[in-house]
């Protein structure tokens, strides 16, 4: 099975993305750049340097150099400099065999120019921030930076996004009368490259990329996939249902549809084929489930963080708003797969094919980082702090889970759980908590001499490092956010130290996984950073020219104010744009162009004009942004491009078009759902105030009715409900299902009666095929 996974994964990676094979020296250069991104992010963007300064100050040590600070745009420039270096070394000008083996001279020149253009802004930004003056040399470096970002984007993401950006840039320079100073000021200093999208990427998204890279390397992703296979595999359609659940969980971490397919699909797709699913179904299930990962709280796609910034609504509120839509999406996928499984007459796979379920249940604590990050986000802790703090827990439990390192597993789990709970306590009881943790550490050491619960090995050492460090910070009275940040960052250091001195194979693997995760995080962030920088240029032009306002009114005028037509055009625009533009850039463009138009179309209507309770953001704007967000993501499974479906079909060895059409069918809840959520915004939950029995019943009805609509359409499109259905009844169910998207009480009642009627009397109806 492992050999199949590797072969299939290699095949798809060659098809989807071809990067250079580098010499050892260049590989070291790339690794250094990737690590420098992580170090700079942690020290100066996450303000870890100030946290360290505070720690040492409380210990009576004054290290003034730790108080050094940089402007946010300087940090973005440094990160983008490293991203451009990685891009021009790793990605060739053209994907030809000759250019994949050697880095030509002109790419070294582009690397040098990239570093110069980015570090120039780093050097002069303090001067600009003080005087807001732009000189001709600034224009030169600004134009150079724009060109280099667009070429790097083309190499990594293809030609579509840079081409769209170029159209906007040409329009922008024309509208400002070829005023290059104003053009450069807007797109190099104020917004543009270093606008809100890149700011959000460096502040928030990188932390989650970092977190995801670690979970992939230290084995959490494999655990999730294998656990779901063991849980569902013996049931009818088990591998497909396992793919839905595991991909949904992993999608919250990876944030990339294609990456998720390549991660979990290499395991689930061969199993689905082995269970009897046709290639075009096996290849469709995984992309649909993987794509939905970007819709699944608590960690959604990168665009969700930008949405929070655009709307002025905290991210912890947005993940609450996304709960019911995500539930509907995955329920719809599950219903389709369940009916397809019954239609095909598939049985479960032998239990002997999977590891015993009790093994995975015993190790359920491996998922504790996802629980920790969820709790932290809901409590309102900053997203990047939440991600980094969960990283520390992930590293600790990963060491505990190693079977070949002695020590009572559940005992260590209890210790980790207790320590984590105490870590979240307030400063007012810091000293008693520190004493408890110190006693806990002494107990672990004592037990290592007299009991088999602990041994003097890696599990004990990593646990002591975490416990003693948290005890010290609690004793010193440091803030909760500071402790969480330090635990995550120093957890990496602890893992490297323990792994480096480890003499066991498991310990050396953890050392390697920790080190490689830091490098992978830097490499993986390349695509999202470049997409954000390029999309920021579009945002800058729209703001500079005033087009961001006028386009909305023009769209409303074009559709004569018809909301349904406007929503339909927005959906088509998002899907077409998303076929060549990454989700993040797609969301930025459509949210700036189409979302204001949708907002204007319902302005003055209730409940749209009411603000989201506790915030000034109108409900209409929240619903409009979610609408474009959904369709930007679904472009990954929508033909003719459908990159996620392409990856799935390549892994399954099936026909692309059949696979893509199946994917569209299974993702139907994603295509219909946004219309329902927009017209029934109470389904976002955070829009409801006050909560009463009536509003609770209304939300429950909306959810139940939406699920019934998905069930009706799943029955109609699969043509199966206990037995095959004739075309006539399928057509009627489609009509009722589509009409039911209004959630009209009468239509939903008819739909419910239809399902009950087929359930009880289907075998007696003449329109049912036997």
């Amino acid at each position: 099975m492992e050999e199949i996974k590797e072969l299939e994964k290699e095949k798809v990676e060659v098809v989807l993305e071809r990067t250079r094979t580098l010499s050892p020296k260049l590989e070291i250069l790339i690794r250094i750049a990737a690590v420098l991104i992580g170090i700079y992010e942690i020290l100066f963007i996450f303000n870890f340097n100030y946290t360290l300064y505070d720690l040492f100050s409380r210990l009576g040590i004054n290290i003034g150099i730790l108080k050094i600070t940089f402007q946010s745009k300087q940090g973005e420039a440094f990160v983008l400099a490293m991203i451009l270096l990685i891009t021009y070394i790793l990605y060739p000008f053209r994907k030809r065999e000759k250019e994949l083996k050697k880095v030509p001279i002109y790419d070294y020149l582009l690397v040098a120019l990239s570093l110069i253009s980015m570090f120039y802004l780093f050097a002069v930004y303090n001067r600009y921030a003080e005087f807001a003056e732009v000189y001709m040399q600034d224009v030169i470096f600004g134009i150079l930076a724009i060109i280099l970002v667009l070429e790097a984007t083309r190499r990594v993401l293809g030609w579509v996004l840079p081409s769209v950006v170029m159209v906007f840039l040409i329009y922008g320079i024309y509208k400002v009368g070829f005023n290059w100073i104003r053009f450069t000021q807007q797109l190099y200093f104020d917004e543009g490259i270093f606008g809100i999208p890149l700011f959000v990427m460096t502040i928030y998204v990188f932390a989650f990329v970092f977190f995801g890279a670690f979970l992939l390397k230290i084995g959490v992703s494999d655990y999730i996939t294998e656990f779901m296979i063991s849980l569902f595999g013996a049931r009818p359609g088990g591998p497909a249902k396992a793919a839905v659940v595991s991909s949904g969980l992993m999608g919250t971490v990876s944030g990339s549809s294609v990456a998720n397919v390549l991660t979990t699909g290499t395991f689930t797709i061969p199993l689905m084929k082995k269970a009897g699913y046709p290639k075009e179904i096996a290849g469709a299930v995984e992309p649909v489930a993987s794509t939905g990962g970007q819709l699944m709280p608590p960690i959604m796609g990168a665009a969700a963080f930008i949405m929070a910034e655009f709307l002025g609504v905290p991210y912890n509120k947005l993940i609450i708003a996304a709960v019911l839509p995500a539930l509907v999406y995955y329920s719809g996928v599950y219903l389709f797969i369940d009916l397809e499984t019954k239609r095909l007459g598939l049985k479960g796979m032998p239990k002997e094919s999977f590891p015993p379920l009790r093994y995975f249940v015993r190790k359920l604590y491996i998922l504790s980082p996802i629980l920790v990050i969820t709790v932290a986000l809901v409590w309102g802790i900053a997203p990047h702090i939440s991600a980094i703090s969960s990283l520390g827990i992930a590293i600790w439990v990963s060491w505990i889970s190693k079977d070949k390192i002695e020590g009572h597993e559940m005992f260590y789990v209890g210790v980790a759980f207790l320590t984590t709970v105490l870590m979240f306590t307030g400063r007012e009881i810091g000293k008693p908590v520190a004493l408890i943790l110190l006693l806990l550490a002494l107990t672990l050491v004592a037990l290592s001499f007299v009991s088999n619960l602990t041994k003097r090995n890696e599990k004990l050492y990593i646990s002591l490092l975490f416990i003693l460090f948290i005890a010290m910070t609690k004793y010193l009275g440091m803030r909760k956010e500071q402790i969480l940040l330090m635990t995550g960052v120093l957890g990496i250091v602890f893992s490297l130290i323990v792994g480096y001195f480890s003499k066991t194979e498991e310990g050396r693997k953890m050392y390697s996984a920790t080190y490689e995760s830091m490098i992978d995080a830097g490499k993986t962030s390349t695509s999202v950073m470049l997409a954000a920088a390029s999309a920021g240029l579009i945002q800058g032009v729209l703001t500079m020219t005033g087009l961001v306002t006028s386009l909305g009114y023009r769209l409303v005028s074009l559709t004569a104010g018809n909301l349904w037509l406007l929503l339909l055009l927005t959906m088509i625009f998002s899907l077409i744009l998303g076929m060549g533009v990454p989700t993040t850039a797609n969301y930025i463009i459509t949210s700036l162009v189409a979302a204001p138009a949708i907002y204007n179309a319902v302005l003055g209507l209730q409940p749209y004009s009411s603000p989201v309770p506790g915030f000034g953001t109108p409900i209409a704007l929240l619903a409009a942004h979610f609408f474009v967000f959904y369709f930007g993501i679904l472009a990954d499974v929508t033909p003719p491009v459908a990159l996620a479906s392409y990856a799935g079909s390549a892994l399954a060895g099936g026909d692309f078009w059949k696979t893509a059409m199946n994917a569209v069918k299974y993702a139907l809840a994603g295509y219909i759902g946004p219309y329902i959520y927009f017209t029934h915004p109470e389904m976002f939950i955070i829009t409801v105030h006050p909560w009463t029995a009536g509003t609770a019943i209304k939300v429950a009805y909306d959810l139940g009715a939406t699920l019934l609509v998905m069930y009706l359409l799943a029955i109609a499109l699969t043509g199966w409900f206990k037995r095959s259905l004739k075309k006539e009844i399928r057509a009627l169910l489609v009509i009722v299902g589509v009409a039911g998207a209004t959630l009209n009480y009468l239509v939903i009642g008819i739909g419910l009666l239809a399902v009950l009627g087929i359930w009880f009397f289907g075998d007696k109806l003449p329109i049912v095929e036997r």
Side-chain angles (χ1 to χ4, degrees):
M1 182 60 71
E2 291 296 325
E3 293 178 2
I4 293 174
K5 284 170 63 178
E6 289 301 319
L7 288 172
E8 295 285 5
K9 187 171 182 178
E10 287 174 13
K11 179 174 72 174
V12 176
E13 286 178 336
V14 168
V15 173
L16 292 176
E17 177 185 333
R18 299 183 70 186
T19 54
R20 286 188 177 117
T21 302
L22 301 177
S23 65
K25 289 183 179 179
L26 286 177
E27 184 62 39
I28 290 173
L29 178 63
I30 293 292
R31 287 170 174 258
I32 291 172
V35 171
L36 283 175
I37 292 173
I39 291 174
Y40 190 95
E41 285 268 358
I42 289 169
L43 278 177
F44 301 115
I45 294 180
F46 300 163
N47 291 323
F48 186 68
N49 59 323
Y50 269 103
T51 302
L52 279 180
Y53 175 79
D54 189 21
L55 172 65
F56 285 118
S57 295
R58 292 170 186 269
L59 292 171
I61 305 170
N62 187 7
I63 306 178
I65 195 172
L66 290 175
K67 294 173 68 176
I68 190 171
T69 185
F70 299 104
Q71 301 268 13
S72 63
K73 281 186 169 52
Q74 289 176 305
E76 293 164 36
F78 180 89
V79 171
L80 196 53
M82 296 300 105
I83 291 292
L84 291 173
L85 183 154
I86 292 172
T87 299
Y88 284 117
I89 295 295
L90 200 55
Y91 293 85
F93 179 76
R94 290 170 295 188
K95 291 179 172 57
R96 294 182 177 177
E97 197 66 35
K98 181 173 68 174
E99 296 185 39
L100 289 168
K101 294 181 179 179
K102 184 180 178 182
V103 180
I105 294 296
Y106 62 78
D107 274 349
Y108 288 115
L109 176 62
L110 291 176
V111 168
L113 291 174
S114 298
L115 296 177
I116 291 169
S117 65
M118 292 299 130
F119 283 115
Y120 177 80
L121 182 130
F122 191 99
V124 305
Y125 190 77
N126 284 331
R127 180 260 297 168
Y128 174 77
E130 185 175 356
F131 301 107
E133 294 180 354
V134 178
Y135 305 104
M136 279 311 298
Q137 65 264 29
D138 298 336
V139 173
I140 294 170
F141 285 107
I143 299 301
L144 178 62
I146 291 171
I147 293 171
L148 290 166
V149 166
L150 289 179
E151 168 57 14
T153 305
R154 183 196 67 80
R155 293 189 183 199
V156 176
L157 300 172
W159 59 269
V160 176
L161 178 57
S163 299
V164 173
V165 175
M166 282 299 299
V167 171
F168 278 91
L169 291 176
I170 293 169
Y171 175 80
I173 191 61
Y174 169 75
K175 289 297 288 183
V176 298
F178 296 93
N179 185 333
W180 293 102
I181 287 183
R182 183 184 171 192
F183 183 81
T184 303
Q185 182 174 13
Q186 178 75 7
L187 300 182
Y188 184 55
F189 284 106
D190 291 343
E191 292 186 16
I193 293 174
F194 304 105
I196 289 177
L198 190 60
F199 169 79
V200 172
M201 290 295 158
T202 54
I203 291 288
Y204 301 125
V205 175
F206 182 80
F208 287 89
V209 171
F210 206 56
F211 176 67
F214 270 85
L215 292 198
L216 288 171
K217 283 291 182 181
I218 63 181
V220 175
S221 63
D222 290 338
Y223 167 80
I224 290 173
T225 303
E226 292 172 16
F227 180 25
M228 293 303 111
I229 289 291
S230 180
L231 184 62
F232 292 103
R235 302 178 184 182
K241 294 170 183 175
V244 173
V245 180
S246 60
S247 297
L249 288 172
M250 277 312 301
T252 67
V253 174
S254 72
S256 167
S257 306
V258 177
N260 201 4
V261 172
L262 295 176
T263 303
T264 58
T266 50
F267 189 82
T268 58
I269 289 176
L271 279 178
M272 281 189 270
K273 289 167 63 178
K274 187 177 179 182
Y277 286 98
K279 296 176 182 178
E280 287 75 15
I281 291 180
V285 170
E286 182 61 47
V288 171
S290 295
T291 298
Q294 294 184 72
L295 310 171
M296 175 65 73
I299 311 170
M300 300 159 69
F305 294 93
I306 297 176
M307 190 196 303
E309 197 74 20
F310 279 178
L311 291 174
V313 176
Y315 182 75
N316 66 325
K317 298 298 181 184
L318 282 188
I319 62 176
I320 295 172
V323 168
L324 292 187
L327 176 64
V328 169
Y329 180 87
Y330 276 101
S331 296
V333 177
Y334 189 91
L335 289 171
F336 266 102
I337 291 169
D338 186 59
L339 290 170
E340 287 280 33
T341 301
K342 292 174 180 175
R343 181 180 67 83
L344 294 169
L346 301 180
K347 305 297 182 183
M349 298 181 69
K351 290 185 178 180
E352 297 74 27
S353 305
F354 321 109
L357 182 59
R358 62 179 178 275
Y359 172 82
F360 296 104
V361 172
R362 192 180 83 239
K363 292 189 177 293
L364 198 59
Y365 62 87
I366 290 177
L367 298 181
S368 58
I370 297 176
L371 175 63
V372 169
I373 203 170
T374 303
V375 172
L377 286 170
V378 172
W379 278 4
I381 293 173
H384 60 291
I385 302 295
S386 301
I388 298 300
S389 66
S390 299
L391 178 59
I393 304 302
I395 290 172
W396 191 0
V397 298
S398 183
W399 276 100
I400 290 172
S401 70
K402 302 305 176 187
D403 294 324
K404 294 181 180 179
I405 300 178
E406 290 184 285
H408 194 284
E409 187 176 12
M410 289 300 107
F411 177 76
Y412 276 112
V413 170
V415 169
F417 177 78
L418 175 61
T419 306
T420 302
V421 171
L422 292 174
M423 180 175 66
F424 276 90
T425 56
R427 281 195 288 179
E428 63 278 2
I429 57 170
K431 285 185 171 56
V433 167
L435 179 60
I436 293 171
L437 290 172
L438 181 61
L439 291 173
L440 180 61
L442 292 173
T443 302
L444 290 179
V445 174
L447 287 173
S448 69
F449 288 95
V450 299
S451 170
N452 289 326
L453 288 175
T454 64
K455 296 287 185 180
R456 291 187 296 281
N457 57 23
E458 293 89 336
K459 285 184 181 180
L460 175 64
Y461 304 146
I462 197 79
S463 298
L464 289 176
L465 286 170
F466 272 105
I467 294 168
L468 291 174
F469 178 75
I470 295 170
M472 179 181 69
T473 55
K474 283 292 183 183
Y475 181 80
L476 294 174
M478 300 195 74
R479 291 185 293 108
K480 185 189 305 177
E481 288 79 2
Q482 291 178 312
I483 298 173
L484 293 173
L485 177 61
M486 285 192 291
T487 303
V489 175
L490 293 179
I492 299 171
V493 178
F494 296 160
S495 186
L496 289 172
I497 292 172
V498 174
Y500 182 80
F501 289 103
S502 174
K503 296 181 180 179
T504 66
E505 182 182 356
E506 295 276 19
R508 289 191 294 271
K509 283 182 179 179
M510 273 299 294
Y511 173 82
S512 177
T514 305
Y515 170 66
E516 292 294 335
S517 297
M518 298 171 65
I519 295 164
D520 280 3
K523 287 183 178 180
T524 304
S525 62
T526 301
S527 59
V528 291
M529 294 288 186
L530 289 173
S534 295
L537 289 168
I538 295 175
Q539 182 193 12
V541 170
L542 289 171
T543 305
M544 179 176 65
T545 60
L547 197 61
V548 67
T549 303
S550 61
L551 272 177
Y553 289 112
R554 289 178 187 176
L555 279 172
V556 173
S557 176
L558 179 65
T559 57
N562 186 298
L563 177 61
W564 289 102
L565 181 57
L566 182 57
L567 291 176
L568 182 63
L569 286 178
T570 301
M571 178 190 77
I572 295 170
F573 177 56
S574 297
L575 290 174
I576 292 174
L577 187 64
M579 292 174 189
V581 172
T583 302
T584 304
N586 184 348
Y587 165 73
I588 292 168
I589 296 168
T590 51
S591 66
L592 291 170
V593 174
I598 299 173
Y599 169 70
N600 290 331
V602 295
L603 197 61
L605 301 178
Q606 288 298 331
Y608 297 109
S609 294
S610 301
V612 175
F615 306 95
T617 306
I619 289 174
L621 210 52
L622 173 75
H625 276 252
F626 260 101
F627 189 87
V628 299
F629 172 68
Y630 255 70
F631 287 112
I633 289 170
L634 286 170
D636 279 347
V637 294
T638 306
V641 179
L643 284 178
S645 297
Y646 185 64
S649 67
L651 280 173
D655 178 79
F656 165 71
W657 281 101
K658 291 180 180 178
T659 302
M661 294 311 297
N662 279 331
V664 170
K665 182 170 67 175
Y666 301 154
L668 193 63
Y671 292 97
I672 294 179
Y675 289 93
I676 297 176
Y677 315 140
F678 187 87
T679 52
H680 298 80
E682 63 272 9
M683 290 190 71
F684 292 121
I685 301 177
I686 63 170
T687 55
V688 178
H689 184 78
W691 277 95
T692 63
T695 55
I697 291 171
K698 180 68 169 67
V699 172
Y701 168 79
D702 289 347
L703 176 61
T706 303
L707 292 175
L708 178 64
V709 167
M710 300 310 159
Y711 196 29
L712 286 166
L713 292 173
I715 294 169
L717 295 180
T718 58
W720 183 269
F721 193 80
K722 288 192 171 184
R723 59 186 85 262
S724 293
L725 302 178
K726 276 190 174 180
K727 292 180 181 178
E728 294 90 334
I729 193 168
R730 293 174 64 181
L732 287 172
L733 290 175
V734 167
I735 293 171
V736 175
V738 172
T742 62
L743 303 194
N744 178 276
Y745 297 116
L746 178 60
V747 178
I748 292 300
I750 292 171
L752 182 59
L753 289 174
V755 171
L756 293 174
I758 301 174
W759 181 275
F760 290 109
F761 307 109
D763 56 346
K764 298 179 182 179
L765 294 175
I767 54 175
V768 178
E769 293 180 350
R770 295 187 181 276

